[in-house]
Amino acid sequence: RDDEAQADFDALIAAEQRIEPRDWMPDAYRKTLIRQISQHAHSEIIGMQPEGNWITRAPSLKRKAILMAKVQDEAGHGLYLYSAAQTLGITRDEMTQQLIDGKAKYSSIFNYPTPTWADMGAIGWLVDGAAICNQVPLCRASYGPYGRAMVRVCKEESFHQRQGFEILLTLMQGTPAQREMAQDAVNRWYWPSLMMFGPPDDASPNSAQSMAWKIKRFSNDELRQRFVGMLVPQAEILGVTLPDPELRWDQDAQRWHMSEIDWTEFFEVLAGRGPMNAVRLQNRRSAHDDGAWVREAAAAYADKHAFPRSL
Ligand code: 3HC
């Protein structure tokens, strides 16, 4: 029977059909999806912190309203993604516990500080830009609930990316100090944004299987190349310099030639030793503890309404 179920699963994948929650799926496929979707959800939730840092200090009412909307979108993406992961048989409580225990991964990018307003621009342009590049192909992921969630997420990311670009454009048209602040933010976020795509292909243990299952559609390096190709003309319009003296189009190899990424830094951040790892996790833990009374009250309310007194 299992062979038959496996054959049906393989046929669905080969035919570019979607796997749905009630379909049979190999255990390893389920585990990979729980791993990727929960990490993605945690990234959205932790990702609210670097920008949340600027909500009270945004330079105008309009900027503040936009930033609040963006941070709220990220909360929404996190909740969508937790729901998608729940369809695979893990609970939201289990995922939250893994995060606050420091056992779950989330994107390396959110472990860097946001010291200036220009960071809001650089995050929108570079971080959300990288997220779009990575996530548009995920709209075609073979697992239905994940692929469908990605469609709305990507539309919202696209607004986030444009608002970041527009913040940088405004700063670049401002005073010399504002231009310097924008360039400094780009210098600090450029390399970490390239690291978002994950380790190089020859050091990416999950890629081959995830691509065979059509969860991932492109390799980490392919997406990184595509992202740099998107950035180069946009940097020209902004008037900022991408901080890589080696960056050039290699006509013969038909790819962007770039300096070696500092993979030691990447693995240090993954190991919990990035500049802001401890702060991000501590904030998440405190928020969870502070919210205990809300969870208790909601559970008590649900209990009361599940069994009306008249029964
Ligand atoms: N940060 C943290 N961990 C990373 C990472 C990164 N930038 N890149 C890779 N890793 C981890 C992987 O999770 C994996 O760890 P695990 O096996 O313990 O789970 C390990 O490093 C090896 O990497 P692989 O390339 O083998 O892993 P994947 O095949 O899963 O590829 C990925 C990594 C490209 C990040 C893929 O998981 C993916 O596309 N995930 C969905 C997108 C996502 O999570 N994005 C979060 C970024 S930001 C965001 O969405 C918020 C937005 O508002 C900006």
Side-chain angles (χ1 to χ4, degrees):
R1 269 213 81 210
D2 265 7
D3 287 353
E4 247 175 60
Q6 176 77 51
D8 288 347
F9 171 86
D10 292 344
L12 283 174
I13 298 279
E16 297 282 334
Q17 299 284 315
R18 287 247 150 106
I19 307 298
E20 296 298 339
R22 291 200 182 104
D23 292 341
W24 181 93
M25 62 186 88
D27 273 353
Y29 177 80
R30 187 184 296 278
K31 276 198 193 119
T32 286
L33 282 165
I34 290 177
R35 177 183 66 78
Q36 176 162 333
I37 302 173
S38 65
Q39 286 176 2
H40 194 165
H42 298 326
S43 305
E44 300 280 358
I45 297 299
I46 296 282
M48 295 165 76
Q49 293 185 37
E51 290 169 299
N53 181 33
W54 277 92
I55 289 176
T56 55
R57 293 178 289 159
S60 70
L61 186 60
K62 185 180 130 201
R63 293 287 186 202
K64 182 169 174 153
I66 294 171
L67 191 59
M68 275 172 67
K70 180 182 186 240
V71 173
Q72 281 176 3
D73 283 353
E74 278 153 17
H77 297 174
L79 298 186
Y80 260 19
L81 288 163
Y82 282 131
S83 300
Q86 280 178 283
T87 64
L88 291 155
I90 186 166
T91 66
R92 171 109 167 257
D93 282 348
E94 285 171 298
M95 289 184 275
T96 304
Q97 203 55 46
Q98 290 168 356
L99 177 63
I100 60 184
D101 286 347
K103 289 185 187 144
K105 286 200 174 81
Y106 60 86
S107 183
S108 51
I109 194 73
F110 300 119
N111 294 303
Y112 292 86
T114 47
T116 73
W117 170 252
D119 290 312
M120 300 304 98
I123 289 183
W125 182 44
L126 296 171
V127 176
D128 295 299
I132 294 169
C133 224
N134 167 265
Q135 289 169 24
V136 165
L138 291 175
C139 296
R140 292 189 292 123
S142 56
Y143 188 57
Y146 190 33
R148 286 189 289 273
M150 279 299 114
V151 174
R152 176 163 174 186
V153 168
C154 285
K155 285 188 177 149
E156 292 179 352
E157 293 296 357
S158 157
F159 152 69
H160 297 171
Q161 199 257 359
R162 282 167 206 202
Q163 68 86 41
F165 183 88
E166 201 260 341
I167 289 175
L168 288 180
L169 193 62
T170 306
L171 289 173
M172 289 305 288
Q173 289 166 353
T175 63
Q178 286 172 321
R179 285 202 290 278
E180 208 176 295
M181 182 166 73
Q183 180 64 57
D184 171 64
V186 169
N187 292 349
R188 283 182 291 106
W189 289 94
Y190 177 73
W191 290 108
S193 75
L194 294 189
M195 294 175 196
M196 286 173 71
F197 296 93
D201 291 351
D202 55 12
S204 164
N206 302 304
S207 277
Q209 182 60 75
S210 288
M211 286 172 76
W213 278 327
K214 299 185 180 166
I215 299 169
K216 280 169 95 161
R217 297 288 179 154
F218 298 97
S219 76
N220 299 357
D221 286 331
E222 279 168 349
L223 290 174
R224 205 170 356 251
Q225 281 281 323
R226 187 181 284 200
F227 177 54
V228 170
M230 264 172 50
L231 291 185
V232 169
Q234 293 178 5
E236 251 173 59
I237 295 169
L238 286 173
V240 296
T241 308
L242 297 176
D244 180 2
E246 295 280 317
L247 184 61
R248 63 181 165 77
W249 176 248
D250 180 339
Q251 187 62 32
D252 296 336
Q254 287 290 300
R255 64 192 304 278
W256 293 95
H257 170 81
M258 48 179 114
S259 308
E260 181 67 18
I261 292 175
D262 183 351
W263 292 114
T264 310
E265 174 181 322
F266 174 74
F267 288 114
E268 279 293 294
V269 174
L270 256 61
R273 293 187 289 269
M276 298 296 281
N277 291 60
V279 175
R280 300 292 183 238
L281 262 192
Q282 188 46 51
N283 285 341
R284 185 67 198 85
R285 278 189 202 114
S286 306
H288 188 68
D289 293 345
D290 292 348
W293 70 271
V294 180
R295 291 190 297 279
E296 279 159 25
Y301 182 83
D303 277 351
K304 208 162 143 186
H305 288 261
F307 300 103
R309 256 177 234 155
S310 57
L311 291 180

